Amino acid sequence: MSRLDAPSPGPASSRVVVMGQGYVGLPLAMRAVDVGHDVVGYDTDTSRVKRLASGESFVEDVPAAQVSAALASGRYVASSSEDCLADFDVAIITVPTPLRDGNPDLSYIQDAAVLLARHLKPGATVVLESTTYPGTTEELVAPLLEAGSGLRAGADFHLGYSPERIDPGNPTYGFVNTPKVISGIDEASLAAVADFYDSVVDRTVAVSGTREAELVKLLENTFRHVNVALVNELAMFASDLGIDVWEAIGAASTKPFGFMPFTPGPGVGGHCLPIDPSYLSWRVKRLLGQPFRFVELANDVNDHMPDYVVRRLVVALNRKRQAVNGSRIMLLGLAYKRNTGDDRESPAIAVADRLIRLGADVRAADPHVADDHLDGRVTRIVLSAEEVAAADAVILLTDHDAFDLDMVAAQARYVFDTRHRLAPGTNVEFL
Ligand SMILES: NC(=O)c1ccc[n+]([C@@H]2O[C@H](COP(=O)([O-])OP(=O)(O)OC[C@H]3O[C@@H](n4cnc5c(N)ncnc54)[C@H](O)[C@@H]3O)[C@@H](O)[C@H]2O)c1
């Protein structure tokens, strides 16, 4: 940590509760077990808990063998039972923070805090990790914990916020070697939060308050959201101007300072880009009465990318005197991110929906996304030369390594490549 001197390490083994065993909570729980803590992975989703308890994993970065080893160590329990929360030393909240009708939905955080409050003991530490607007830890979580426990935040228990930076599928930066920003509502809380995170990550970075820590996450995601929107809009103009935007981005990236490459795509998915910046703009509007114009503009550009993808396909088919209606269109990739099975808010779903509404026969291949996640109107296929050859058009939406793109280029009548992965050819167009 960089602000306070590191306190002496806490008890070698704390009793840790991780509320939520998803993309964020499960890797954290596994790491906490690895370093010797006793961990309860609490989740309200009983089927998820059942799978974990039988040694299965549904998060790419956590192998099933790691879950099995954690269970075998006797230091990991996956549970939906409130009894397991008793007597915790440290509780980390990693529950979802979606938008509902465009507004932050903090009900999952509320539920988790209410539950934890019933088991809060003096001296325990609670940390919120879910992405949310600045003020949530002190204005929402603290009062709920106090009301349910009869204890006082700061005086009787420690409270802090630490933004999650997990990047599913990233082979270089994982939970342990990505610096972790930490905060507390006071000095003692910060020290207690640091005590826990120093035991599980290589480096912690302390900031002075929970609001600053909450803003860190939103700043990081808004930065990416805005820059992705910038290159998406540029890609659309460059296409109309007959300029190769990909070549320009590649060349600009050779500048060793002052430029960071972002690449265009069919839209943004997951949680970080489509949702998190809206938490910030909602808060700014609510407290200051002002629009956060960069976020609104980025939302507008990125939200319309699936429409642009469909428009480019319509134009391509039109050149061949074909209509989308009745055409067989193959979508390559449904996940929002390469080499993952995460299809939350995926632009591929929006592209499929628009094509189906135009009357296309939509088929989709994605080796990572589970079958039951698919829109029933989309025919699920396995990528093969026959399927590619039989399609009127192929749209590459997610560039999973598992796809044989040379075969696709060789067999396809037409490919619209939104990721710039194929070699140029007369049958290939790029976003
Ligand atoms: N996935 C990412 O890459 C990522 C990265 C950074 C931050 N985040 C943030 O972390 C938070 C969690 O995201 P995630 O991707 O892990 O979500 P997720 O949906 O994968 O997992 C959340 C889990 O919490 C469980 N849950 C819901 N209510 C609960 C409750 N009251 N008590 C206990 N468990 C409960 C759900 O059943 C689910 O299993 C969100 O705020 C998200 O914005 C996610």
Side-chain angles (χ1 to χ4, degrees), residues 19-25 42-45 48 94-97 108 111-112 129-131 164-166 168 217 271-272 276 344:
M19 301 294 280
Q21 289 293 273
Y23 285 90
V24 171
Y42 178 89
D43 203 298
T44 45
D45 182 338
R48 196 165 259 200
T94 65
V95 297
T97 43
Y108 299 94
D111 291 349
E129 280 208 11
S130 299
T131 304
E164 185 43 57
R165 282 172 162 170
I166 214 111
K217 177 74 190 174
H271 199 284
C272 294
D276 297 352
R344 290 178 297 175

Coordinates of all heavy atoms in Angstrom, one line a residue, residues 19-25 42-45 48 94-97 108 111-112 129-131 164-166 168 217 271-272 276 344, ligand 1:
M19 N -19.6 -12.5 -0.8 CA -21.0 -12.5 -1.2 C -21.1 -12.4 -2.7 O -20.8 -11.3 -3.3 CB -21.7 -11.3 -0.6 CG -21.6 -11.2 1.0 SD -22.6 -12.5 1.7 CE -24.2 -11.9 1.6
G20 N -21.5 -13.4 -3.4 CA -21.6 -13.5 -4.8 C -20.4 -14.3 -5.3 O -19.3 -13.9 -5.1
Q21 N -20.7 -15.4 -6.1 CA -19.7 -16.2 -6.6 C -19.7 -16.2 -8.1 O -19.8 -17.2 -8.8 CB -19.9 -17.7 -6.1 CG -19.6 -17.8 -4.6 CD -18.1 -17.6 -4.3 OE1 -17.3 -18.5 -4.4 NE2 -17.7 -16.4 -4.0
G22 N -19.6 -15.0 -8.7 CA -19.6 -14.8 -10.1 C -18.2 -14.6 -10.7 O -17.2 -15.0 -10.1
Y23 N -18.2 -13.8 -11.8 CA -16.9 -13.5 -12.4 C -15.9 -12.9 -11.5 O -14.7 -13.0 -11.6 CB -17.1 -12.7 -13.7 CG -17.7 -13.4 -14.8 CD1 -19.1 -13.5 -15.0 CD2 -16.9 -14.0 -15.7 CE1 -19.6 -14.2 -16.0 CE2 -17.4 -14.7 -16.8 CZ -18.8 -14.8 -17.0 OH -19.3 -15.5 -18.0
V24 N -16.4 -12.1 -10.6 CA -15.5 -11.3 -9.6 C -15.3 -12.1 -8.3 O -14.2 -12.3 -7.9 CB -16.1 -9.9 -9.3 CG1 -15.4 -9.3 -8.2 CG2 -16.1 -9.1 -10.6
G25 N -16.4 -12.6 -7.8 CA -16.4 -13.2 -6.4 C -15.6 -14.6 -6.4 O -14.9 -14.9 -5.5
Y42 N -20.7 -17.3 -0.6 CA -22.1 -17.3 -0.5 C -22.8 -16.8 -1.7 O -22.3 -15.8 -2.3 CB -22.5 -16.4 0.7 CG -24.0 -16.3 0.9 CD1 -24.7 -17.2 1.7 CD2 -24.7 -15.3 0.3 CE1 -26.0 -17.1 1.9 CE2 -26.1 -15.2 0.4 CZ -26.8 -16.1 1.2 OH -28.1 -16.0 1.4
D43 N -23.8 -17.5 -2.2 CA -24.5 -17.0 -3.4 C -26.0 -17.4 -3.3 O -26.3 -18.5 -2.8 CB -23.9 -17.6 -4.7 CG -24.2 -16.7 -5.9 OD1 -25.4 -16.6 -6.2 OD2 -23.3 -16.2 -6.5
T44 N -26.8 -16.4 -3.7 CA -28.3 -16.7 -3.6 C -28.7 -17.7 -4.7 O -29.8 -18.2 -4.7 CB -29.1 -15.4 -3.7 OG1 -28.5 -14.6 -4.8 CG2 -29.0 -14.6 -2.4
D45 N -27.9 -17.8 -5.7 CA -28.3 -18.7 -6.9 C -27.9 -20.2 -6.5 O -26.8 -20.6 -6.5 CB -27.5 -18.3 -8.1 CG -27.8 -19.1 -9.3 OD1 -28.3 -20.2 -9.2 OD2 -27.5 -18.6 -10.4
R48 N -26.1 -22.4 -9.0 CA -24.6 -22.1 -9.1 C -23.9 -22.7 -7.9 O -22.8 -23.2 -8.1 CB -24.5 -20.5 -9.1 CG -23.2 -20.0 -9.6 CD -23.3 -18.5 -9.9 NE -23.4 -18.3 -11.3 CZ -23.1 -17.2 -12.0 NH1 -22.6 -16.2 -11.3 NH2 -23.2 -17.1 -13.3
T94 N -19.6 -8.8 -3.7 CA -19.3 -8.8 -5.2 C -20.6 -9.2 -6.0 O -20.6 -10.2 -6.8 CB -18.2 -9.8 -5.6 OG1 -18.6 -11.1 -5.3 CG2 -16.9 -9.5 -4.8
V95 N -21.7 -8.5 -5.7 CA -22.9 -8.9 -6.3 C -23.2 -8.0 -7.5 O -22.5 -6.9 -7.6 CB -24.1 -8.8 -5.2 CG1 -23.9 -9.8 -4.1 CG2 -24.2 -7.3 -4.7
P96 N -24.2 -8.3 -8.3 CA -24.4 -7.5 -9.5 C -24.9 -6.1 -9.2 O -25.6 -5.9 -8.2 CB -25.5 -8.3 -10.3 CG -25.5 -9.7 -9.6 CD -25.1 -9.5 -8.2
T97 N -24.6 -5.2 -10.1 CA -25.1 -3.9 -10.1 C -25.7 -3.5 -11.5 O -25.0 -2.7 -12.2 CB -24.1 -2.9 -9.6 OG1 -22.8 -3.2 -10.3 CG2 -23.9 -2.9 -8.1
Y108 N -29.3 -5.6 -5.1 CA -28.5 -6.8 -4.7 C -27.5 -6.4 -3.6 O -27.2 -7.2 -2.7 CB -27.7 -7.3 -5.9 CG -28.6 -7.8 -7.1 CD1 -28.9 -6.9 -8.1 CD2 -29.1 -9.1 -7.1 CE1 -29.8 -7.4 -9.1 CE2 -29.9 -9.5 -8.1 CZ -30.3 -8.7 -9.1 OH -31.1 -9.1 -10.1
D111 N -29.5 -6.2 -0.4 CA -29.9 -7.5 0.2 C -28.6 -8.1 0.9 O -28.7 -8.6 1.9 CB -30.3 -8.5 -0.9 CG -31.7 -8.1 -1.5 OD1 -32.3 -7.2 -0.9 OD2 -32.1 -8.6 -2.6
A112 N -27.5 -7.9 0.2 CA -26.2 -8.5 0.8 C -25.9 -7.8 2.1 O -25.5 -8.5 3.1 CB -25.1 -8.4 -0.2
E129 N -17.2 -4.4 -3.3 CA -16.4 -4.4 -4.6 C -17.2 -4.1 -5.8 O -16.7 -3.8 -6.9 CB -15.7 -5.8 -4.7 CG -14.4 -5.9 -3.9 CD -13.4 -6.9 -4.6 OE1 -13.6 -7.3 -5.8 OE2 -12.5 -7.3 -3.9
S130 N -18.5 -4.3 -5.7 CA -19.4 -4.1 -6.8 C -19.2 -2.7 -7.4 O -19.1 -1.8 -6.6 CB -20.9 -4.3 -6.4 OG -21.1 -5.6 -6.0
T131 N -19.3 -2.6 -8.7 CA -19.1 -1.3 -9.3 C -20.4 -0.5 -9.1 O -21.5 -1.0 -9.3 CB -19.0 -1.5 -10.8 OG1 -17.8 -2.3 -11.1 CG2 -18.7 -0.2 -11.5
E164 N -13.2 -3.6 -8.4 CA -12.7 -4.9 -9.0 C -12.1 -4.5 -10.4 O -12.6 -3.6 -11.1 CB -13.9 -5.8 -9.2 CG -13.5 -7.1 -9.7 CD -12.2 -7.6 -9.1 OE1 -12.1 -7.8 -7.9 OE2 -11.2 -7.8 -9.9
R165 N -11.0 -5.2 -10.7 CA -10.4 -4.9 -12.0 C -10.2 -6.2 -12.8 O -9.4 -6.3 -13.7 CB -9.0 -4.3 -11.8 CG -9.1 -2.8 -11.5 CD -7.7 -2.3 -11.1 NE -7.6 -0.9 -11.2 CZ -6.6 -0.2 -10.7 NH1 -5.6 -0.8 -10.2 NH2 -6.6 1.2 -10.8
I166 N -11.1 -7.1 -12.5 CA -10.9 -8.4 -13.2 C -11.1 -8.3 -14.7 O -12.0 -7.6 -15.1 CB -11.8 -9.5 -12.5 CG1 -11.2 -10.8 -12.5 CG2 -13.2 -9.5 -13.2 CD1 -10.9 -11.3 -11.1
P168 N -11.7 -10.8 -17.5 CA -11.8 -12.3 -17.9 C -11.1 -12.6 -19.2 O -11.2 -11.9 -20.1 CB -13.3 -12.5 -18.0 CG -13.9 -11.4 -17.2 CD -13.0 -10.2 -17.3
K217 N -13.1 3.2 -10.5 CA -13.6 2.2 -11.4 C -14.4 2.8 -12.5 O -14.3 2.4 -13.7 CB -14.5 1.2 -10.6 CG -15.2 0.2 -11.4 CD -14.2 -0.9 -11.8 CE -14.8 -1.8 -12.8 NZ -13.9 -2.7 -13.3
H271 N -20.4 -5.8 -18.7 CA -20.9 -4.9 -17.7 C -20.2 -3.6 -17.7 O -20.8 -2.5 -17.6 CB -20.7 -5.6 -16.3 CG -21.6 -5.0 -15.2 ND1 -21.4 -3.8 -14.7 CD2 -22.7 -5.5 -14.7 CE1 -22.3 -3.6 -13.8 NE2 -23.1 -4.6 -13.8
C272 N -18.9 -3.7 -17.9 CA -18.1 -2.5 -17.7 C -18.4 -1.3 -18.6 O -18.5 -0.2 -18.2 CB -16.6 -2.8 -17.9 SG -16.0 -4.0 -16.7
D276 N -21.6 0.5 -16.6 CA -20.9 1.3 -15.5 C -20.9 2.8 -15.7 O -21.2 3.6 -14.8 CB -19.5 0.8 -15.3 CG -19.6 -0.7 -14.8 OD1 -20.7 -1.2 -14.5 OD2 -18.5 -1.3 -14.7
R344 N -23.3 -11.4 -21.8 CA -24.1 -10.3 -21.2 C -24.0 -9.0 -22.0 O -22.9 -8.6 -22.3 CB -23.6 -10.0 -19.7 CG -24.0 -11.2 -18.8 CD -23.4 -10.9 -17.4 NE -22.0 -10.8 -17.3 CZ -21.3 -10.4 -16.3 NH1 -21.9 -10.1 -15.2 NH2 -20.0 -10.3 -16.3
Ligands
LIG1 N1 -17.3 -9.4 -14.7 C1 -16.4 -8.5 -14.8 O1 -15.5 -8.5 -15.6 C2 -16.4 -7.3 -13.8 C3 -15.2 -6.5 -13.7 C4 -15.2 -5.5 -12.8 C5 -16.2 -5.3 -12.0 N2 -17.4 -6.0 -12.0 C6 -18.4 -5.7 -11.1 O2 -18.5 -6.7 -10.1 C7 -19.8 -6.9 -9.6 C8 -20.2 -8.4 -9.8 O3 -20.0 -8.7 -11.2 P1 -19.9 -10.2 -11.7 O4 -19.4 -10.1 -13.1 O5 -19.1 -11.0 -10.7 O6 -21.4 -10.6 -11.6 P2 -22.0 -12.1 -11.7 O7 -23.4 -12.0 -12.2 O8 -21.1 -13.0 -12.5 O9 -22.0 -12.6 -10.2 C9 -22.7 -12.1 -9.2 C10 -23.2 -13.2 -8.3 O10 -23.9 -12.6 -7.2 C11 -24.9 -13.4 -6.8 N3 -25.9 -12.7 -6.0 C12 -26.9 -11.8 -6.3 N4 -27.4 -11.3 -5.2 C13 -26.8 -11.8 -4.1 C14 -26.9 -11.7 -2.7 N5 -27.8 -10.8 -2.2 N6 -26.0 -12.3 -1.9 C15 -25.1 -13.1 -2.5 N7 -24.9 -13.3 -3.8 C16 -25.8 -12.7 -4.6 C17 -25.5 -13.8 -8.1 O11 -26.3 -15.0 -8.0 C18 -24.2 -14.1 -9.0 O12 -23.8 -15.4 -8.9 C19 -20.7 -6.0 -10.5 O13 -20.9 -4.8 -9.8 C20 -19.8 -5.7 -11.7 O14 -20.0 -4.4 -12.3 C21 -17.4 -7.1 -12.9

